[in-house]
Amino acid sequence: MSKVYDIAIIGGGPIGIACGLEAQKKELSYVIIEKGPIVNSLFNYPINMQFFSSSEKLEIDEIPFISKEAKPKRNEALEYYRRIVTSNKLNIHLFEKVIGVQKINNLFQIDTSKDNYKTKNVIVATGFYDLPNMINVPGEDLPKVSHYYKDPHFYASQKLAVIGASNSAIDAALECWRKGAEVTLIIRGPEVGQRVKYWVRPDIINRIEEGSIKAYYNSNVREIKEDSIILENPEGEVILENDFVLALTGYMPNFEFLENLGIRLSQDDKRLPQYDPDTMETNVEGLFLAGVICGGMETHKWFIENSRIHAKIIIKAILEKMQLVEKA
C-alpha cells in the first residue's frame, strides 16, 4: 500500500519551503513537489535583481538571512533558501510537475510527471511567475520578443524596446542601457509606476529627462515586426526601428489549475480565490492556499514578508482538525 502523507505542498518557493519546515517541526509527514529547481521563480529572476524588501523580511522560520547590503540580491536569496532546504533535509521532490489532483473520498491523489501521491491535505503555494500577461498584438510570438528578462549583456549594442512601467521593466531598461543598449520605454500610463523601488525611480526619470533613454507615455503597442515596432499614442502612429522587445507587463497565477482543483474564483477582474483567512483553507475541504496565489490578479499585495505567516496558520489548522478526528 502506498504511503499516505499528512500534507502535500505544491510549489517549492520560499512559502512552500516555510510550510515544509513547519510541518516537519510538528512531526507531520509531508512532501514538497516543485516543477523546477529549489525556489524556481527566484532562480528565473534577472541575474542582478535586488529585492525591495530587506533581508530580515525575507527570513522564514526565524532563520537569519545575512546579506552584504540591507536589501539582498538574487544570488544571496538562492543561497539562503537552498541552505535551508539542504540543512534541514526537507523532503522536496524537484523537477517534478503536477499533472492533476483529484479528491477521492477523504484523500487527494496527486499525479506528477514522475510519480503519484496520496495525501490528506494539499497546500498550493505556486506563486504567479509562470504565466505572463500577454499584450495580444500581432508579432508577439516572434523570437525577438520575450516576457522574461535575464541578463543585460545579451542586449548590448541593440535597439531594445521595453514595455511596462513597473520594477521589472524599469530595472531592465536601466541595466540594458548601462550595458550599451539603445533603450526605448513604452508606458501605457502617464508616468513611471509609483511602486517602482524608491532608489530606482529617480534614476530612470533622470535618464529619461536627459535623453539617455527614450520614453513614450500613454502609448500602446499595435504591432511588432521583424525589424520594427509600431506604437499608438496621443500624437498618432509611431514606428521605431527595433531588434528586441522585452514585454515586462506582469504575470498571473495559473487560474485554470485552481479551477481544476475545484477552488471558486471571484467573477470580477481580480479573480480572487475563495479561502478562509483564519485557516487559509479553500472551499474544498483539506485544500489550502499559501503565498501570493491568494491574491488572484492583485499580485502586488502579497510578498514573502507578509505571507510567510501562512505556513504557521495552515499547519495549526491542520493539527486542530486532526485532533478533532482523533476525539471523534
Side-chain angles (χ1 to χ4, degrees), residues 114-232:
K114 294 183 179 180
D115 209 339
N116 54 73
Y117 306 87
K118 287 184 171 61
T119 180
K120 299 172 187 175
N121 300 279
V122 174
I123 301 173
V124 179
T126 49
F128 70 100
Y129 198 57
D130 292 334
L131 298 175
N133 293 321
M134 307 298 283
I135 56 175
N136 296 315
V137 299
E140 189 172 7
D141 58 348
L142 287 172
K144 64 184 269 187
V145 181
S146 177
H147 293 276
Y148 294 90
Y149 163 66
K150 195 74 172 178
D151 193 324
H153 175 84
F154 183 83
Y155 302 101
S157 301
Q158 299 295 292
K159 292 180 173 63
L160 172 66
V162 180
I163 305 169
S166 62
N167 278 299
S168 57
I170 301 308
D171 282 346
L174 286 168
E175 284 191 5
C176 292
W177 170 71
R178 290 196 162 98
K179 297 301 181 183
E182 183 181 321
V183 176
T184 301
L185 261 176
I186 301 162
I187 296 174
R188 184 173 57 183
E191 63 177 356
V192 172
Q194 288 291 333
R195 289 197 296 269
V196 170
K197 289 173 280 197
Y198 64 84
W199 66 93
V200 173
R201 197 170 189 273
D203 188 1
I204 188 64
I205 290 171
N206 288 336
R207 302 294 75 75
I208 292 169
E209 289 179 351
E210 72 187 16
S212 297
I213 293 175
K214 176 68 175 176
Y216 288 90
Y217 297 105
N218 299 306
S219 299
N220 291 292
V221 177
R222 195 177 77 190
E223 185 176 358
I224 301 169
K225 296 188 173 183
E226 290 284 355
D227 58 0
S228 65
I229 182 168
I230 303 173
L231 313 181
E232 285 184 348

Side-chain angles (χ1 to χ4, degrees), residues 1-21:
M1 184 176 177
S2 60
K3 178 181 176 68
V4 176
Y5 289 96
D6 291 319
I7 306 167
I9 302 159
I10 303 175
I15 304 305
I17 291 170
C19 291
L21 274 173

Side-chain angles (χ1 to χ4, degrees), residues 10 35 97-99 124-133 251-263 265 271 273 289 292-294 296-297 299:
I10 303 175
K35 71 175 184 179
K97 185 176 181 179
V98 172
I99 305 299
V124 179
T126 49
F128 70 100
Y129 198 57
D130 292 334
L131 298 175
N133 293 321
Y251 308 91
M252 69 175 77
N254 189 335
F255 294 117
E256 182 180 359
F257 179 66
L258 295 182
E259 288 177 318
N260 287 340
L261 292 173
I263 298 172
L265 304 178
R271 312 238 40 215
L289 298 181
V292 72
I293 194 76
C294 300
M297 288 299 294
T299 54

Side-chain angles (χ1 to χ4, degrees), residues 43-84:
F43 175 76
N44 287 302
Y45 281 176
I47 286 175
N48 300 318
M49 194 213 76
Q50 187 170 28
F51 285 86
F52 191 95
S53 301
S54 52
S55 58
E56 74 274 6
K57 292 183 177 180
L58 299 176
E59 293 174 355
I60 54 177
D61 200 37
E62 299 182 355
I63 299 170
F65 183 171
I66 309 301
S67 60
K68 292 180 181 179
E69 302 175 53
K71 299 180 185 301
K73 294 188 175 180
R74 166 189 172 273
N75 63 328
E76 294 175 306
L78 292 180
E79 179 72 17
Y80 174 71
Y81 295 116
R82 182 177 68 248
R83 288 297 301 273
I84 287 177

